[in-house]
Amino acid sequence: MAAKKLDRFDVVIIGGGVVGLAVAYQLSKSPAFVGKSIVILEREKGFGMQTSSRNSEVIHAGIYYDAQSLKAELCLHGRELLYDYCRRFEIPHSRIGKLIVAQSGQDTALEALEEKARTNGVTNLRMIDRALLTRIEPAVAASSALFSPSTGIIDSHSYMRSLLDNAERHGVIFSHSTSVESVMPEERGFLLSTIVDDGRVRQLYALRANTLINCAGLDAQHLATMVIEEYTSAADDQNLSEIFGVPEQVLSKGSYFDYTGANPFSHLIYPLPDSGHDALGIHATIDLSGALRFGPDAEWCENIDYSVDPSKAALFAKSVQQYFPALDPAKLKPGYSGIRTKLKTAAGAPSDFIIRSEKASGLPGLVNLFGIESPGLTSSLAIAERVESLLAETT
Ligand SMILES: Cc1cc2nc3c(=O)[nH]c(=O)nc-3n(C[C@H](O)[C@H](O)[C@H](O)COP(=O)(O)OP(=O)(O)OC[C@H]3O[C@@H](n4cnc5c(N)ncnc54)[C@H](O)[C@@H]3O)c2cc1C
């Protein structure tokens, strides 16, 4: 009996978060992909329901990252691409600017941060003394601050909606409620088994992909490991050391508290970063409606549990009162949380993005993205460009 002919797509993107959507948008408008079939497979009922809707919605300037890191490069470039995209497609956003505040004794650390930013190409930061800070942000208590005019906020849902609309206009198919359960490398491309479950009907669907892009966020390691296992068991003469390594993931949960009191700030207010957790510190973020929230904190975790522990309110109050002494702790209400995907690094070095074609390991059609934590939203269009150029070089 002849084997059933399966659907074959030129490009399959696993994950419909902001990164998978940006990659789909980028490829759909690329001359190299005209007429190619592109599908996004997303396990949730809609796009961007995991980390991409659980963040601060800040367009970062590119201040904090190590020189030569992919985060530094893609944040700076991505931020400009994102502001252009927002203007072009009328995505609600605002370049409101941010103040990183130092308490007494922290001024040297603030100067070091300015230096780091300059090395990364962020040359428009301005040191502000206490007197000027009090005029700009009277509710803030600090000895000095670094002003970043390129930092902004964005309506990330509108941005993702727009990426998907634009990609679909160029023929991309978005298949939600579709969970990729297994991936098997074949002589040419990949065989994927999925479960499509819309809540009423649950069915198996198998398909083939010439090119596979793993944008599965917190599940990227799990999917990549699945590919290796299938690959090595199918080719038992393979030297395992030639197969691509999957970087170990460590999870860091970040919770937010909404503030029901009046918002006294006109900029985003950040303390100095929390280097112990490779996080930015509990900051004040303002959304486009003017609502104020504080967060995220940083807590190493094993599992994905998005509940916010109300008992953390006291810790949040203590931390925020260092720069906002008038904060009323009773007005802190548990908000939401997100989980950062960090890569295990030697001696606590900061985690960086990995965007990698697996051609050298014998899988030319596979691109893996690992460790796409903050500033992944800001960098999304630059990440997508990087994926496009990797595909041009390797397939
Ligand atoms: C607390 C926090 C604050 C942040 N703040 C900012 C910020 O202010 N600015 C900024 O630039 N960045 C920020 N980030 C980072 C940013 O949110 C992420 O980098 C970005 O959302 C990652 O997008 P993604 O598409 O890679 O992942 P996700 O949004 O998680 O998307 C991955 C998708 O893959 C799907 N998936 C997984 N496995 C499968 C499977 N087997 N089959 C089908 N689908 C699957 C998931 O359902 C998910 O929708 C923050 C992150 C956190 C955690």
Side-chain angles (χ1 to χ4, degrees), residues 59-82:
I59 302 179
H60 286 295
I63 297 170
Y64 302 95
Y65 317 109
D66 275 6
Q68 316 303 331
S69 66
L70 211 46
K71 280 186 180 174
E73 179 188 339
L74 299 185
C75 183
L76 251 79
H77 182 46
R79 151 198 121 188
E80 291 312 310
L81 293 176
L82 188 53

Side-chain angles (χ1 to χ4, degrees), residues 13-22 40-60 65 75 82 152-154 156 160 174-183 192-195 214-220 222-223 226 252-256 268 270 280 283 285 293 295-297 306 336-341 353 369-380 383:
I13 298 165
I14 305 177
V18 70
V19 174
L21 297 172
I40 307 169
L41 305 179
E42 169 52 55
R43 187 170 50 201
E44 302 286 346
K45 286 192 203 72
F47 61 84
M49 292 175 71
Q50 291 291 322
T51 310
S52 297
S53 54
R54 299 178 161 279
N55 57 47
S56 301
E57 297 190 295
V58 170
I59 302 179
H60 286 295
Y65 317 109
C75 183
L82 188 53
I153 50 176
I154 179 173
S156 58
M160 290 190 280
F174 179 62
S175 181
H176 61 80
S177 312
T178 306
S179 173
V180 176
E181 299 293 308
S182 78
V183 182
L192 282 77
S193 300
T194 71
I195 293 179
N214 175 4
C215 300
L218 299 174
D219 286 294
H222 172 66
L223 278 153
M226 206 147 74
S252 165
K253 179 171 174 177
S255 298
Y256 294 85
L268 304 170
Y270 282 59
L280 301 189
H283 44 268
T285 55
R293 70 180 101 91
D297 66 345
Y306 290 126
Y336 60 91
S337 76
I339 295 188
R340 308 173 181 90
T341 164
F353 298 157
L369 288 84
F370 299 118
I372 312 296
E373 52 148 346
S374 190
L377 168 64
T378 309
S379 312
S380 49
I383 292 173

Side-chain angles (χ1 to χ4, degrees), residues 130-320:
R130 189 196 296 261
L132 183 54
L133 180 62
T134 308
R135 282 218 305 280
I136 302 173
E137 289 288 1
V140 170
S143 71
S144 59
L146 203 51
F147 175 58
S148 165
S150 306
T151 305
I153 50 176
I154 179 173
D155 173 349
S156 58
H157 185 84
S158 301
Y159 169 50
M160 290 190 280
R161 174 79 266 164
S162 166
L163 287 171
L164 182 56
D165 286 348
N166 281 326
E168 285 181 328
R169 224 167 271 134
H170 287 97
V172 170
I173 298 167
F174 179 62
S175 181
H176 61 80
S177 312
T178 306
S179 173
V180 176
E181 299 293 308
S182 78
V183 182
M184 198 178 308
E186 297 187 311
E187 202 176 327
R188 187 168 75 88
F190 303 87
L191 172 64
L192 282 77
S193 300
T194 71
I195 293 179
V196 185
D197 185 352
D198 67 0
R200 285 171 298 125
V201 183
R202 182 180 156 88
Q203 51 190 354
L204 298 175
Y205 170 59
L207 68 153
R208 291 198 152 93
N210 294 341
T211 295
L212 186 63
I213 307 174
N214 175 4
C215 300
L218 299 174
D219 286 294
Q221 271 82 349
H222 172 66
L223 278 153
T225 305
M226 206 147 74
V227 181
I228 298 186
E229 283 172 1
E230 294 289 354
Y231 187 45
T232 51
S233 65
D236 39 48
D237 60 340
Q238 280 283 348
N239 175 355
L240 281 189
S241 64
E242 286 174 15
I243 311 298
F244 61 83
V246 176
E248 201 177 326
Q249 171 173 252
V250 201
L251 302 178
S252 165
K253 179 171 174 177
S255 298
Y256 294 85
F257 276 74
D258 295 325
Y259 193 62
T260 56
N263 169 21
F265 307 128
S266 51
H267 302 89
L268 304 170
I269 311 292
Y270 282 59
L272 277 163
D274 168 2
S275 54
H277 284 89
D278 185 17
L280 301 189
I282 297 178
H283 44 268
T285 55
I286 307 166
D287 68 20
L288 286 155
S289 69
L292 175 62
R293 70 180 101 91
F294 294 100
D297 66 345
E299 177 192 355
W300 301 116
C301 63
E302 300 281 323
N303 303 311
I304 295 172
D305 167 7
Y306 290 126
S307 59
V308 176
D309 177 0
S311 72
K312 281 187 165 185
L315 275 173
F316 267 66
K318 192 167 168 229
S319 172
V320 174

